[in-house]
Amino acid sequence: MAKRTVGFLGFDELSLEMAASLIRAGYSVNAFDSQMDSHCSMELSKLGGVKCTSPSEVWKGAAALVILVPEPNQMEEIIFGPEGGLKGLPNEAVVVLRTAILPSYVQSLEKRLADECGRSFVVDAYVCRATSKSSDGKVMITSSGRHEAIAKAHPILSAMSEKVYIFYGELGAGSKIKMVNQLLEGIHLVSAIEAISLGIQAGIHPMILYDIISNAAGSSRIFKKHIPSWLKSALPLQHAPISLVESLGSILGMAKSLVFPLPLLAVAQQQLILGSSHGGTQETLLHKIWENVLGVKLEDVVNEELYNPEEVACQLVERSKNVKQVAFIGLGAMGFGMATHLVKSNFTVRGYDVYKPTLTRFANAGGVIGNSPAAVSEDVDVLVVMVTNEIQAESVLFGDHGAVAALPAGACIILSSTVSPGFVTQLDLRLHNQGKNLKLVDAPVSGGVQRAAMGTLTIMASGTEEALELGGSVLSAMSEKLYIIKGGCGSGSCVKMVNQLLAGVHIASTAEALAFGARLGLNTRTLFDFVTNSDGTSWMFENRGPHMLDNDYTPHSALNIFVKDLGIVSHESLTRKIPLHVAVTAHELFLAGSAAGWGSLDDAAVVKVYESLTGVKVEGKLPPLSKESVMQSLPSEWPVDPTDDIRELIRNSLRPLVVLDDDPTGTQTVHDIEVLTEWKVESLIEQFRKMPKCFFILTNSRSLEPEKASYLVKEICRNLHAAAKSAGNMEFTVVLRGDSTLRGHFPEATDAAVSVLGEMDAWIICPFFLHGGRYTIGDVHYVADSDRLVPAGDTEFARDHAFGYKCSNLREWVEEKTRGCIPASEVASISIELLRKGGPDAVCEQLCSLKKGSTCIVNAASERDMAVFALGMIQAEFKGKRFLCRTAANFVSARVGIISKPPISPKDLGRYKERAGGLIVVGSYVPKTTKQVEELKIQCEQRLKCIEVDVENVAMKSSEEREQEISQAAEMADIFIGANVDTLIFTSRRLITGKTPSDSLEINFKVSSSLVEIVRRITTKPRYILAKGGVTSSDLATKALEARSAVVVGQALPGVPLWQLSDESRHPGVPYIVFPGNVGDHTALAVVVRSWARPSRLSSAKDLLLKKVGMQLVLSTSITWKVLRLLLKLQKRKIIHPAALKQGGLPLVACCVAAAEQSSVPITVHFDHGTSKQDLIEVIQLGFDSIMADGSHLPFKDNISFTKYISNLAHTKNILVEAELGRLSGTEDDLTVEEYEARLTDINQARDFIDDTGIDALAVCIGNVHGKYPPGGPNLKLDLLKDLHALASEKGVFLVLHGASGLSEKLIKECVNLGIRKFNVNTEVRRAYMDSLAVPAKDLVHAMASAIDAMKAVVAEKMRLFGSAGKA
């Protein structure tokens, strides 16, 4: 295949790197530049590229032409001149305008290329080098253009760079994104100089400040790269004031034209203008100005004696004194975590806070509480104060019941609140004057709520040596990084103040930059990703930017905190006579936010100031993408299938993969692998001795609360460790298989595993799952929805009440789930570009280069990507690296080299002749499952019985109602399965959630356990079992079916595992289909159920003859049909008795229902005298309008129980229920009840019976009988009927009289007047039929005609007698 050519018109050092990447990717490269230097020319030739002698030679036959446009009009003659016009460039070729000039010029250039040169595919490209740790120095490209142009250009852009950022729409995104980045660089440069200068003026060595802040929240890339050189008067030329002033001026000019305020950038530019106005060389201007402001020579300050604050802290801790009693005042968000961590560190801690519920929480956490600052301060060695501000600090120390008066002599006070250095100095003096030898440690903290609770704060402490020695053990317990700052009390607060200056400015500049980007029309999330790889980034940009993009202002640190902290900076600016233009302007922005009512929101809400002023929206929802376009834009897959190499390495490694599956759906990509549902050490030893390449342990931990899930994972890991040791010190790799839509216990499960197995070189996060449509591209996890890729954070899965999340970008997701303990900026990433261009060796190299304990996410868009990663990971393991993997199913099959096989059918397992019904159980509540259940019911309506389990009854109501729901469902299912009918048991589709994630998990448990109990009670062995949903399938396998192990045979459908249960299970050998809740389209469940249905009967005579199935039996149905049609012309109700059902079965019912539907008068079909619960359950499903639950043969309480059960069940189908109280004597359908067994209806019992059963009609016993009345005639108790009528009217119940044959017209009328609304007539109709058969007839047809006439006459007479004739 011929190589595709890319031409370069204009060539520089970046062009050379792009050309090298293209050549490595298999492209050929032509280049022309009249001024190409010898180095570039020589290197291009070495790579195999061609240096052309004319522009037309470059673009001839090229697939793409990259045109370097450094300045407007520079390429006018070459492109549009007489020799130009891009003649010879194919019409389908892409023109890439490499430029960052103004968008308006790029857009006009695009138009001219279209109008004058016929170019349809034009994109722009801003090319620069990445500066992030992971991609430092590598080429990245920002490109914009129309969708079709980008689709053509994307593979080429990807091939020539490390990262590509795409903006769809008009050209000019490169110029815009460069503006935003320069805006941040300018603000960060000036604020860094302001901060260092403030620190110098406060007497802190600038290099100590630099070292501390470079690892703190105030850090930025500009600060880290340029402050050391600025201090030495060697600022790089690109950030010299004059050139930067011009760039920032252009940005401000653009903002002016858009009527968009950039206050931070404006004051930063003013400082730079001040510098450029003082003459001198560009590199030294700001340096000299700040020397004048500070009155010092910066070089002398830098050269002052240095010390290491961390080493000083270590020495201090070693000689610190033992502390027994600690008081802690201020148990807010930070203080509570700090105090409880001290309790966990075995200090006795007395706590006080004005908020009483917090005191209760603290007592529950093991602390001792007091009712005032004084009460907790008596007899303590150390007092820690962690209140909000100086006023509160003053109050708790010196106010009513203040701590100072109660403290013993010689005690130490650690002040950890953020306050001004001046306040600390005054406090130290005031404590000294108390005459109690009280010692003060100035120890502000940084790190946030989570780190406070973990004891991993950064603390900047200062004070006398004696004070620090007394408080040293407490400071050490609360911190991960402890810095001792020399200079006495106030020095620690100075360092914190400088850090807060930078942190506050960086939050505000993030808001200004993202808001300006939104006004420029840029996708703010893509803009954010670009900046994080550029010099414009900062710690706060990467931490707070996502809050702004998600429009999530849940307060992690309130906006009012920076009103206070930058207020301290503004005050120090005034008192120290040092101008801090940028910091003071940032303070005004936070003040504006607070004044607008946003002070209690997260500090990222400062962006709302810009949004409210300008109307822009910074929120950067990741848009759904065209799946086809995205896949086409990716580089070609790695050309070699690594599966054989993986298998070979596994054979040699003897290192099994142990998959801890949080539900059974993780087996959806494997076959011929064993699954254990228990983890006793003995079972695991046996498994290890089999030397498997892989085995699963089903933990079902997703259904547990976090603490229980962690305990379970620890237990399994301990058992694995013990078993592996007993089996010969085997090594193994653990995979925590989790949901591909990111739900589950992360990071709890990984933390638990590491606590037992030891620290890993890296955690691997890999949720790619092809069959579920889960792709990770550009670090963003997507869920396929038809032809679109939807960011996972925008799907219903992200709204899960137990495991919900917001972030789709996996790096941000890790930060979100770890609550900031692992920042997004510290998460490594294996890109698709690395997988497809570098292959397994590049993966191995990157994994081996990771810092120990890293977290690494894996991008993947195909199974080949997954296999490439798996081979690279195995290679790294051979080099001694250890990994803990949190992955979806595809990783497992790739890691052990499994090749997929076609779906398994019942015939493959020899199960197609089994006759029992199949059992389908659906517990999953996700919307996809609901759609699949609805489609299943539509497609399989004729051969599927459906039983709905009311979630509210089993999870939210009484134990009695729960038991009734469970027993009813189990009985029905047992009957249907025994009748060879496939049966669907599904939970009601209304999702019920709790107030907290724990409450929701508890509800889920109750629902799942109810399904378990239902299946446990089903005694009939199903033909197969299908469980829908992860938790459902796990619980059914382990608890309901009691399986200790199973073998994954394969898949029933791609992504739908098929197991065979082990011999000890309740149904050994029964196929068990594990259907994940989030797999397949809306028809997938129906497809599986239909493929596992019993073969349907042959439906026609033609089928019988074609299949040669023996003789054909011909029966005339016209007789039965004719009888029904004629009778239905007269009757209002067609009654079927149990004996008739037994004889005629379903065909008889079908005939009755069909005839009723075709009748010209209203007809209902009734099932009479149902004494068998099984019969009644079955007929409820068959389309009857009403039934009689006849428990008259039972004792009263049993009759109530029987009738209530059937009544509740029938009412779910809107079926009217009749029941009998008392008992009729006589004979009907060969069943005789003797006279001594007869019982009249008891009026007192009737009231309770009606109330308890909820029936609609009551069949009364008032002396009526079945069959013939005695010679003396009927003796009906009409007084009893009168009382029953009064009760029935009160309760809204109809009265029914059985045994109406033989009643006189007078009695009938009296009964009607006393409330009887239905009479049952059987004996006289039967007698007429039998009498007609005694008369000889020529043929069966004539005999039937005679019988019809005879019955017709009786029915007509009875309808007249009952008053029903002619009322239809």
Side-chain angles (χ1 to χ4, degrees):
M1 182 178 171
K3 289 184 177 181
R4 301 178 72 199
T5 300
V6 176
F8 283 81
L9 194 55
F11 205 79
D12 59 7
E13 287 287 345
L14 279 175
S15 302
L16 181 62
E17 288 191 38
M18 294 155 67
S21 296
L22 284 167
I23 292 168
R24 285 195 297 271
Y27 289 86
S28 60
V29 172
N30 296 338
F32 171 80
D33 191 325
S34 58
Q35 299 177 347
M36 187 186 299
D37 64 43
S38 57
H39 169 72
C40 286
S41 176
M42 190 181 306
E43 291 299 319
L44 178 63
S45 299
K46 285 181 185 177
L47 292 168
V50 177
K51 180 183 177 183
C52 301
T53 57
S54 69
S56 59
E57 196 179 335
V58 169
W59 61 61
K60 190 172 184 179
L65 176 63
V66 181
I67 304 176
L68 178 60
V69 190
E71 295 294 338
N73 306 319
Q74 195 164 353
M75 303 302 290
E76 179 76 23
E77 185 174 344
I78 294 176
I79 299 177
F80 302 108
E83 301 299 322
L86 304 182
K87 294 170 185 174
L89 182 66
N91 290 332
E92 294 300 307
V94 181
V95 176
V96 180
L97 300 174
R98 186 187 147 200
T99 184
I101 56 179
L102 287 175
S104 57
Y105 180 77
V106 182
Q107 290 156 18
S108 67
L109 194 57
E110 178 193 25
K111 187 174 187 305
R112 288 188 67 189
L113 284 168
D115 295 344
E116 299 177 30
C117 305
R119 296 291 124 199
S120 302
F121 304 107
V122 181
V123 300
D124 69 344
Y126 168 50
V127 182
C128 58
R129 296 187 191 279
T131 58
S132 62
K133 188 184 296 183
S134 60
S135 304
D136 192 24
K138 295 180 179 176
V139 172
M140 59 183 190
I141 295 175
T142 301
S143 182
S144 56
R146 291 176 294 108
H147 274 78
E148 54 271 29
I150 289 291
K152 275 186 168 295
H154 205 306
I156 297 168
L157 297 173
S158 296
M160 66 172 70
S161 64
E162 174 71 12
K163 290 181 179 293
V164 179
Y165 300 95
I166 297 297
F167 294 86
Y168 293 101
E170 63 182 17
L171 271 62
S175 171
K176 295 173 181 177
I177 210 166
K178 184 180 179 183
M179 286 184 193
V180 175
N181 198 57
Q182 285 186 331
L183 175 152
L184 287 164
E185 290 179 6
I187 296 170
H188 292 176
L189 176 65
V190 174
S191 61
I193 293 170
E194 286 185 357
I196 286 291
S197 300
L198 177 61
I200 291 171
Q201 210 281 337
I204 311 297
H205 195 293
M207 295 314 297
I208 289 176
L209 277 175
Y210 176 81
D211 289 341
I212 293 174
I213 290 173
S214 292
N215 293 291
S219 176
S220 70
R221 202 159 287 157
I222 288 290
F223 180 90
K224 288 201 274 190
K225 285 178 71 171
H226 299 308
I227 284 301
S229 57
W230 178 77
L231 288 167
K232 296 170 184 174
S233 185
L235 192 66
L237 188 60
Q238 66 266 31
H239 286 118
I242 293 174
S243 60
L244 198 54
V245 163
E246 293 172 354
S247 297
L248 300 188
S250 298
I251 298 168
L252 288 167
M254 172 66 81
K256 181 180 177 182
S257 69
L258 297 172
V259 195
F260 194 93
L262 299 175
L264 291 172
L265 183 65
V267 294
Q269 190 208 29
Q270 290 303 305
Q271 279 220 36
L272 294 169
I273 289 172
L274 178 65
S276 64
S277 67
H278 278 63
T281 62
Q282 291 182 341
E283 292 89 344
T284 61
L285 297 180
L286 279 178
H287 183 90
K288 294 296 183 186
I289 287 170
W290 277 100
E291 284 187 335
N292 293 336
V293 169
L294 297 171
V296 297
K297 192 171 178 61
L298 289 177
E299 190 174 349
D300 294 340
V301 175
V302 172
N303 291 329
E304 286 178 0
E305 184 182 355
L306 260 178
Y307 63 94
N308 187 321
E310 285 187 276
E311 286 183 8
V312 174
C314 290
Q315 294 164 7
L316 171 82
V317 171
E318 287 177 3
R319 62 178 188 270
S320 62
K321 297 177 181 178
N322 289 330
V323 171
K324 295 178 181 178
Q325 302 275 349
V326 177
F328 204 107
I329 299 175
L331 300 174
M334 289 283 287
F336 186 85
M338 294 163 69
T340 52
H341 185 75
L342 287 174
V343 171
K344 293 174 187 174
S345 302
N346 298 318
F347 289 92
T348 299
V349 184
R350 301 178 188 175
Y352 172 74
D353 194 274
V354 292
Y355 187 56
K356 301 308 178 191
T358 297
L359 289 178
T360 304
R361 280 180 63 216
F362 185 59
N364 293 337
V368 180
I369 59 175
N371 58 11
S372 69
V376 298
S377 300
E378 294 175 359
D379 300 323
V380 298
D381 303 306
V382 174
L383 164 65
V384 182
V385 177
M386 187 60 187
V387 292
T388 302
N389 52 37
E390 295 172 5
I391 295 172
Q392 290 182 5
E394 167 78 19
S395 174
V396 300
L397 290 172
F398 298 104
D400 291 341
H401 307 291
V404 169
L407 283 169
C412 172
I413 299 173
I414 297 176
L415 180 61
S416 287
S417 306
T418 300
V419 295
S420 67
F423 176 83
V424 177
T425 304
Q426 291 298 318
L427 177 60
D428 188 36
L429 181 62
R430 192 171 177 185
L431 290 173
H432 179 74
N433 292 335
Q434 293 291 313
K436 297 173 67 175
N437 192 28
L438 297 177
K439 304 167 183 65
L440 179 63
V441 175
D442 170 29
V445 302
S446 179
V449 175
Q450 191 74 14
R451 291 188 182 274
M454 295 168 62
T456 56
L457 290 169
T458 295
I459 299 181
M460 296 143 277
S462 60
T464 65
E465 191 166 317
E466 187 181 6
L468 290 165
E469 285 178 359
L470 184 53
S473 61
V474 175
L475 294 169
S476 176
M478 295 189 296
S479 63
E480 180 179 53
K481 286 184 176 291
L482 176 60
Y483 299 102
I484 300 299
I485 311 298
K486 295 181 179 180
C489 273
S491 297
S493 286
C494 282
V495 174
K496 178 67 186 289
M497 175 179 65
V498 171
N499 183 70
Q500 293 304 91
L501 180 159
L502 288 166
V505 169
H506 294 165
I507 295 171
S509 66
T510 298
E512 185 160 302
L514 291 177
F516 185 49
R519 182 65 184 85
L520 290 170
L522 296 172
N523 179 300
T524 51
R525 198 168 290 273
T526 307
L527 169 64
F528 174 83
D529 289 342
F530 175 89
V531 172
T532 58
N533 280 293
S534 308
D535 277 348
T537 194
S538 66
W539 192 95
M540 281 298 188
F541 181 89
E542 295 183 25
N543 186 270
R544 299 303 203 269
H547 301 191
M548 300 176 191
L549 296 175
D550 293 337
N551 195 30
D552 179 9
Y553 303 113
T554 304
H556 299 285
S557 173
L559 184 147
N560 276 340
I561 297 284
F562 274 101
V563 172
K564 172 184 69 97
D565 290 359
L566 289 179
I568 292 171
V569 171
S570 296
H571 178 74
E572 292 296 311
S573 169
L574 179 64
T575 58
R576 296 176 185 273
K577 304 292 189 273
I578 180 168
L580 303 173
H581 301 89
V582 174
V584 171
T585 303
H587 182 223
E588 293 299 316
L589 289 169
F590 282 103
L591 276 171
S594 184
W598 305 318
S600 60
L601 299 181
D602 189 75
D603 50 33
V606 71
V607 74
K608 293 166 75 71
V609 174
Y610 291 92
E611 290 180 330
S612 63
L613 282 172
T614 65
V616 302
K617 288 295 178 188
V618 166
E619 183 178 9
K621 285 177 70 72
L622 286 164
L625 304 176
S626 162
K627 181 179 175 182
E628 182 181 4
S629 297
V630 170
M631 295 305 166
Q632 286 179 352
S633 71
L634 297 176
S636 300
E637 291 182 346
W638 182 250
V640 180
D641 185 352
T643 304
D644 289 340
D645 291 337
I646 291 172
R647 289 177 154 185
E648 183 63 28
L649 287 174
I650 288 173
R651 274 194 292 270
N652 296 330
S653 75
L654 303 178
R655 182 181 187 137
L657 195 72
V658 183
V659 184
L660 275 55
D661 199 353
D662 70 358
D663 71 29
T665 61
T667 56
Q668 57 204 151
T669 60
V670 302
H671 55 80
D672 304 310
I673 296 288
E674 197 163 350
V675 180
L676 305 182
T677 63
E678 50 137 34
W679 40 87
K680 295 176 183 175
V681 174
E682 298 77 24
S683 301
L684 296 174
I685 291 172
E686 180 183 346
Q687 192 64 223
F688 277 125
R689 284 177 176 164
K690 292 178 183 177
M691 305 297 289
K693 59 184 177 183
C694 172
F695 65 91
F696 280 72
I697 299 175
L698 177 55
T699 68
N700 200 29
S701 58
R702 202 186 306 170
S703 66
L704 303 176
E705 293 180 358
E707 296 78 12
K708 293 179 180 177
S710 296
Y711 179 84
L712 180 64
V713 171
K714 288 178 183 178
E715 179 188 353
I716 294 172
C717 287
R718 280 194 292 266
N719 290 3
L720 280 168
H721 182 74
K725 188 174 181 181
S726 298
N729 289 318
M730 289 188 67
E731 291 186 335
F732 57 92
T733 296
V734 169
V735 172
L736 300 170
R737 204 297 304 183
D739 179 44
S740 61
T741 59
L742 307 180
R743 296 171 299 166
H745 292 294
F746 176 84
E748 294 86 357
T750 39
D751 284 335
V754 167
S755 71
V756 175
L757 302 174
E759 187 179 13
M760 300 288 162
D761 288 289
W763 292 357
I764 304 297
I765 311 289
C766 182
F768 166 76
F769 176 44
L770 182 66
H771 297 309
R774 322 285 190 248
Y775 304 88
T776 307
I777 301 168
D779 297 342
V780 175
H781 196 53
Y782 293 97
V783 175
D785 181 10
S786 187
D787 59 348
R788 301 185 314 152
L789 294 179
V790 180
D794 294 332
T795 65
E796 69 265 20
F797 307 112
R799 294 187 287 276
D800 187 286
H801 282 266
F803 302 111
Y805 56 91
K806 294 176 180 175
C807 297
S808 303
N809 184 295
L810 287 184
R811 291 183 291 107
E812 295 169 10
W813 176 83
V814 169
E815 179 174 317
E816 176 186 357
K817 299 304 283 187
T818 61
R819 299 181 182 180
C821 288
I822 304 176
S825 58
E826 294 180 13
V827 178
S829 170
I830 302 286
S831 67
I832 288 179
E833 287 73 19
L834 181 80
L835 293 168
R836 298 190 175 191
K837 296 176 183 179
D841 291 345
V843 171
C844 175
E845 182 181 349
Q846 181 159 340
L847 290 176
C848 290
S849 69
L850 293 175
K851 177 184 174 185
K852 194 172 184 68
S854 295
T855 300
C856 180
I857 64 171
V858 181
N859 289 271
S862 71
E863 290 181 322
R864 177 66 59 84
D865 293 338
M866 204 74 272
V868 169
F869 174 77
L871 180 54
M873 177 179 156
I874 295 170
Q875 291 173 354
E877 286 179 321
F878 269 86
K879 294 184 177 183
K881 296 295 181 180
R882 296 174 71 228
F883 303 104
L884 179 66
C885 308
R886 194 280 185 198
T887 78
N890 267 120
F891 171 79
V892 178
S893 53
R895 175 62 177 71
V896 294
I898 288 178
I899 299 173
S900 61
K901 64 181 184 181
I904 305 290
S905 71
K907 198 168 184 178
D908 295 326
L909 301 178
R911 305 284 303 181
Y912 65 100
K913 292 182 180 179
E914 298 282 338
R915 297 196 58 78
L919 174 61
I920 303 109
V921 183
V922 177
S924 169
Y925 56 82
V926 297
K928 176 170 280 190
T929 292
T930 300
K931 292 176 185 176
Q932 290 173 338
V933 168
E934 292 305 316
E935 184 65 22
L936 170 65
K937 290 195 286 187
I938 291 168
Q939 290 197 26
C940 303
E941 181 181 11
Q942 300 302 318
R943 51 187 173 191
L944 186 71
K945 296 302 177 190
C946 301
I947 301 169
E948 183 172 356
V949 178
D950 192 316
V951 169
E952 192 162 336
N953 285 345
V954 297
M956 309 299 288
K957 293 194 175 176
S958 67
S959 56
E960 292 79 11
E961 289 168 296
R962 173 183 167 87
E963 170 58 28
Q964 180 181 326
E965 190 78 18
I966 290 171
S967 61
Q968 180 175 296
E971 282 189 67
M972 291 171 63
D974 224 353
I975 290 166
F976 294 148
I977 294 169
N980 305 334
V981 180
D982 287 352
T983 302
L984 167 66
I985 299 174
F986 64 101
T987 51
S988 54
R989 299 288 85 195
R990 186 170 71 88
L991 176 62
I992 298 176
T993 58
K995 294 180 179 178
T996 66
S998 293
D999 290 342
S1000 294
L1001 281 174
E1002 179 63 22
I1003 292 169
N1004 292 349
F1005 171 76
K1006 288 180 178 179
V1007 174
S1008 181
S1009 62
S1010 70
L1011 293 176
V1012 167
E1013 191 58 36
I1014 289 168
V1015 175
R1016 283 184 65 86
R1017 296 185 192 184
I1018 296 172
T1019 57
T1020 308
K1021 183 177 180 179
R1023 189 171 73 261
Y1024 70 91
I1025 301 171
L1026 185 154
K1028 185 86 167 76
V1031 173
T1032 303
S1033 52
S1034 173
D1035 284 351
L1036 293 189
T1038 58
K1039 299 173 184 176
L1041 303 175
E1042 298 172 9
R1044 291 203 298 271
S1045 65
V1047 173
V1048 185
V1049 180
Q1051 276 70 46
L1053 196 71
V1056 179
L1058 173 61
W1059 297 3
Q1060 275 198 306
L1061 302 178
S1062 53
D1063 291 341
E1064 80 286 343
S1065 68
R1066 286 182 58 219
H1067 298 310
V1070 168
Y1072 186 64
I1073 301 170
V1074 179
F1075 205 125
N1078 55 15
V1079 165
D1081 63 14
H1082 72 289
T1083 67
L1085 181 59
V1087 168
V1088 173
V1089 172
R1090 288 174 64 186
S1091 69
W1092 280 76
R1094 286 193 305 115
S1096 58
R1097 62 182 292 274
L1098 296 170
S1099 57
S1100 69
K1102 184 176 180 181
D1103 289 335
L1104 288 169
L1105 294 172
L1106 288 172
K1107 299 291 184 181
K1108 302 179 182 178
V1109 182
M1111 68 177 185
Q1112 182 179 12
L1113 178 64
V1114 181
L1115 293 175
S1116 171
T1117 60
S1118 62
I1119 299 170
T1120 305
W1121 185 245
K1122 190 173 183 182
V1123 171
L1124 285 170
R1125 286 175 60 195
L1126 289 170
L1127 288 176
L1128 288 171
K1129 286 183 179 179
L1130 301 171
Q1131 290 180 271
K1132 297 289 181 77
R1133 180 181 294 255
K1134 175 61 186 169
I1135 299 175
I1136 300 175
H1137 281 251
L1141 181 65
K1142 187 175 290 184
Q1143 295 294 325
L1146 293 179
L1148 173 63
V1149 176
C1151 282
C1152 290
V1153 172
E1157 288 173 350
Q1158 294 188 20
S1159 172
S1160 60
V1161 296
I1163 299 293
T1164 61
V1165 184
H1166 175 76
F1167 182 74
D1168 208 33
H1169 286 293
T1171 58
S1172 160
K1173 188 180 284 188
Q1174 179 168 337
D1175 285 349
L1176 285 163
I1177 290 173
E1178 190 169 347
V1179 300
I1180 283 171
Q1181 308 297 321
L1182 297 179
F1184 284 85
D1185 299 292
S1186 59
I1187 60 171
M1188 179 183 183
D1190 186 359
S1192 62
H1193 58 291
L1194 301 170
F1196 178 62
K1197 288 188 176 179
D1198 293 345
N1199 188 3
I1200 287 179
S1201 178
F1202 169 82
T1203 305
K1204 181 179 180 180
Y1205 178 89
I1206 297 301
S1207 178
N1208 288 339
L1209 186 59
H1211 285 154
T1212 64
K1213 302 282 188 179
N1214 293 320
I1215 295 174
L1216 182 142
V1217 179
E1218 173 189 333
E1220 186 165 292
L1221 185 59
R1223 198 166 193 208
L1224 299 187
S1225 63
T1227 301
E1228 185 172 38
D1229 288 342
D1230 272 346
L1231 177 66
T1232 299
V1233 177
E1234 299 297 339
E1235 194 168 341
Y1236 67 84
E1237 296 178 275
R1239 297 189 305 276
L1240 295 176
T1241 302
D1242 186 312
I1243 184 66
N1244 295 318
Q1245 288 184 339
R1247 179 178 294 277
D1248 293 339
F1249 188 78
I1250 292 169
D1251 288 341
D1252 291 348
T1253 61
I1255 57 171
D1256 306 291
L1258 178 66
V1260 297
C1261 300
I1262 57 171
N1264 44 319
V1265 300
H1266 282 137
K1268 293 182 180 181
Y1269 283 92
N1275 181 22
L1276 301 187
K1277 311 297 183 186
L1278 296 180
D1279 288 345
L1280 174 58
L1281 179 59
K1282 182 179 179 182
D1283 293 340
L1284 289 167
H1285 175 42
L1287 175 65
S1289 299
E1290 176 190 335
K1291 299 295 184 183
V1293 169
F1294 301 111
L1295 294 181
V1296 177
L1297 190 73
H1298 287 233
S1301 295
L1303 294 184
S1304 65
E1305 183 172 355
K1306 180 183 176 185
L1307 274 175
I1308 291 290
K1309 288 183 178 178
E1310 287 188 77
C1311 289
V1312 170
N1313 290 336
L1314 291 173
I1316 296 296
R1317 289 296 173 263
K1318 189 187 93 168
F1319 294 89
N1320 277 26
V1321 179
N1322 185 21
T1323 303
E1324 293 177 63
V1325 177
R1326 281 172 175 245
R1327 187 186 305 121
Y1329 179 82
M1330 296 302 295
D1331 289 348
S1332 74
L1333 295 181
V1335 180
K1338 293 181 181 179
D1339 189 77
L1340 179 60
V1341 174
H1342 298 126
M1344 288 303 303
S1346 176
I1348 290 168
D1349 289 340
M1351 290 189 290
K1352 181 178 176 181
V1354 174
V1355 172
E1357 170 59 20
K1358 292 299 178 185
M1359 292 187 69
R1360 183 198 65 76
L1361 187 62
F1362 300 153
S1364 301
K1367 291 188 177 179

